[in-house]
């Protein structure tokens, strides 16, 4: 499931937080993109911005929002990557003025992309767009 | 569970097909009375079922085939209910859970990482990995790797386990490694 590049400036705190978290996570080296998961549990409807595939923000009982990220990663150590993702989300939420709203951050890796597989997919996509002849 | 879901799909398709054919027969019967019902063999079927019910009412002994058929139908119904009603679970392996959030991965993702690590081991030509999550977090990795015939089985298994340590060590993952002698001509790392 591809990442939906949407970052609504307006909307509820929940959707803004979800968008900021997804954008921050997608920018971390080693993260290939967001993934809604097989049952589309990691999706946040952001109104006019369309669905955000790869993130879910849920209100916590004692205030704030828990952010649950569903990601596709490269072949890298997953624990270290999750740590970098959390740091990036914390930083981005703080910069967006949503730091106080941010609760626990959970990271789920739905898929790990092999570089060879990624190359093959990119090649197949290039064949599709150029109508059979790979781009030079 | 997979069997039950497959059965639900097949039976649903067959029932829809049957419904469509019955609808066709009814339509034909409506256009030209007698023809559609005759074509579908409905009068014969009515007679057969009627005779069977008459026999049942008359107190005849229950035939073994009927008993087996009834039991099979009940079992099929049970399987269909399981396939329809039991929710599909997302088989996640929870690697770590703290107050600050959790870290999890789907079985396919973990298997991909483990396979990649195992195939980097010297003496391994291919590896297959199955991941089984545990309910309370963590899980089990079953690695089945191919190696060339002259290599030492135990040494290769130890090397694979060492290679997987970076994945299993930080989390509650337990790896069991088995190797088999590869076919002639299989490439070795």
């Amino acid at each position: 499931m591809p990442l939906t590049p949407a970052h609504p400036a307006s909307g509820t705190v929940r959707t803004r937080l979800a968008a900021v978290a997804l954008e921050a996570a997608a920018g971390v080296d080693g993260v290939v993109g967001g993934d809604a998961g097989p049952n589309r549990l990691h999706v946040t409807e952001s109104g006019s911005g369309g669905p955000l595939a790869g993130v879910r923000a849920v209100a916590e009982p004692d205030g704030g929002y828990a952010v649950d990220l569903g990601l596709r990663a490269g072949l890298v150590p997953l624990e270290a990557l999750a740590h970098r993702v959390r740091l990036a989300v914390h930083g981005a939420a703080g910069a967006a003025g949503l730091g106080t709203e941010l609760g626990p951050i959970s990271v789920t890796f739905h898929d790990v992309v092999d570089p060879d597989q990624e190359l093959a997919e990119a090649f197949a996509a290039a064949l599709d767009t150029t109508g059979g002849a790979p781009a030079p | 569970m997979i069997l039950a879901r497959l059965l639900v799909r097949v039976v649903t398709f067959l029932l829809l097909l049957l419904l469509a054919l019955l609808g066709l027969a009814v339509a034909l019967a409506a256009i030209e009375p007698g023809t559609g019902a005759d074509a579908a063999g409905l009068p014969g079927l009515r007679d057969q079922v009627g005779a069977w019910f008459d026999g049942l009412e008359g107190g005849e002994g229950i035939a073994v085939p009927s008993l087996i058929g009834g039991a099979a139908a009940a079992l099929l119904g049970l399987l269909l209910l399981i396939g329809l009603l039991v929710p599909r679970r997302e088989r996640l392996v929870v690697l770590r859970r703290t107050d600050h959030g959790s870290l999890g991965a789907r079985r396919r993702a973990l298997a991909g990482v483990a396979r990649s690590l195992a195939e980097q081991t010297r003496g391994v030509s291919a590896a297959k990995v199955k991941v089984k999550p545990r309910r309370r977090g963590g899980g089990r990795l079953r690695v089945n790797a191919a190696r060339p015939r002259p290599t030492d089985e135990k040494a290769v298994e130890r090397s694979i386990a060492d290679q997987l340590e970076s994945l299993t060590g930080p989390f509650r993952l337990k790896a069991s490694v088995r190797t088999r002698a590869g076919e002639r001509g299989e490439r070795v790392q």
Side-chain angles (χ1 to χ4, degrees):
Chain A
M1 182 59 60
L3 172 71
T4 308
H7 186 161
S10 59
T12 62
V13 171
R14 190 179 70 86
T15 56
R16 279 165 50 211
L17 190 60
V20 165
L22 183 60
E23 194 170 298
V28 174
D29 194 26
V31 172
V32 177
D35 193 315
N39 298 334
R40 295 190 60 78
L41 290 176
H42 290 103
V43 175
T44 300
E45 289 296 336
S46 67
S48 57
L52 299 167
V55 67
R56 176 178 58 183
V58 180
E60 288 281 280
D62 50 354
Y65 295 86
V67 171
D68 197 353
L69 292 155
L71 303 173
R72 294 176 79 201
L75 272 174
V76 293
L78 298 181
E79 191 178 28
L81 180 60
H83 182 63
R84 291 203 302 274
V85 166
R86 285 199 181 98
L87 287 179
V89 172
H90 271 292
L98 297 168
T100 53
E101 301 291 340
L102 186 61
I105 303 167
S106 294
V107 181
T108 302
F109 292 106
H110 286 296
D111 202 0
V112 171
V113 182
D114 193 315
D116 291 342
Q117 182 193 338
E118 203 176 1
L119 198 67
E121 282 175 7
F123 187 73
L127 281 178
D128 278 349
T129 53
T130 56
Chain B
M1 188 55 62
I2 294 169
L3 177 75
R5 290 192 196 286
L6 188 72
L7 206 62
V8 165
R9 290 192 176 195
V10 171
V11 171
T12 306
F13 174 75
L14 290 177
L15 283 178
L16 285 174
L17 193 69
L18 188 69
L19 193 66
L21 289 174
L22 280 176
L24 189 68
V26 170
L28 279 174
I31 293 166
E32 194 155 341
T35 315
D38 287 343
L42 293 183
L45 187 66
R46 183 191 57 204
D47 294 342
Q48 276 184 6
V49 173
W52 188 77
F53 276 123
D54 287 343
L56 207 63
E57 281 177 359
E60 289 177 13
I62 300 171
V64 174
S66 300
L67 192 67
I68 293 172
L75 192 67
L76 179 69
L78 204 63
L79 270 175
L80 289 175
L81 281 175
I82 290 170
L84 274 174
L85 300 179
V86 175
R88 187 190 293 258
R89 274 192 303 161
E90 192 174 13
R91 299 298 298 273
L92 277 181
V93 182
V94 179
L95 301 170
R96 200 178 293 284
R97 199 193 301 270
T98 65
D99 292 342
H100 304 295
S102 65
L103 169 61
R106 280 183 67 202
R107 290 188 297 170
R108 189 174 70 172
L110 269 187
V113 175
R115 189 180 62 244
S116 173
L117 287 171
E119 288 182 347
Q120 287 170 23
T121 310
R122 180 170 288 276
V124 171
S125 55
K128 286 181 183 172
V129 180
K130 283 187 180 174
V131 179
K132 196 172 178 186
R134 285 194 182 131
R135 287 186 188 276
R136 293 182 181 180
R140 176 180 281 274
L141 305 176
R142 286 177 194 270
V143 183
N144 199 337
R147 58 175 171 78
R149 288 185 187 280
T151 49
D152 179 18
E153 181 183 348
K154 294 292 170 199
V156 173
E157 286 177 0
R158 268 199 307 276
S159 300
I160 294 172
D162 289 347
Q163 190 76 18
L164 289 172
E165 181 60 27
S166 61
L167 180 66
T168 57
F171 309 117
R172 282 186 294 170
L173 291 173
K174 195 173 179 184
S176 60
V177 182
R178 287 178 63 186
T179 60
R180 60 181 168 83
E183 299 298 321
R184 187 172 290 178
E186 275 189 335
R187 289 178 59 195
V188 178
Q189 298 292 318

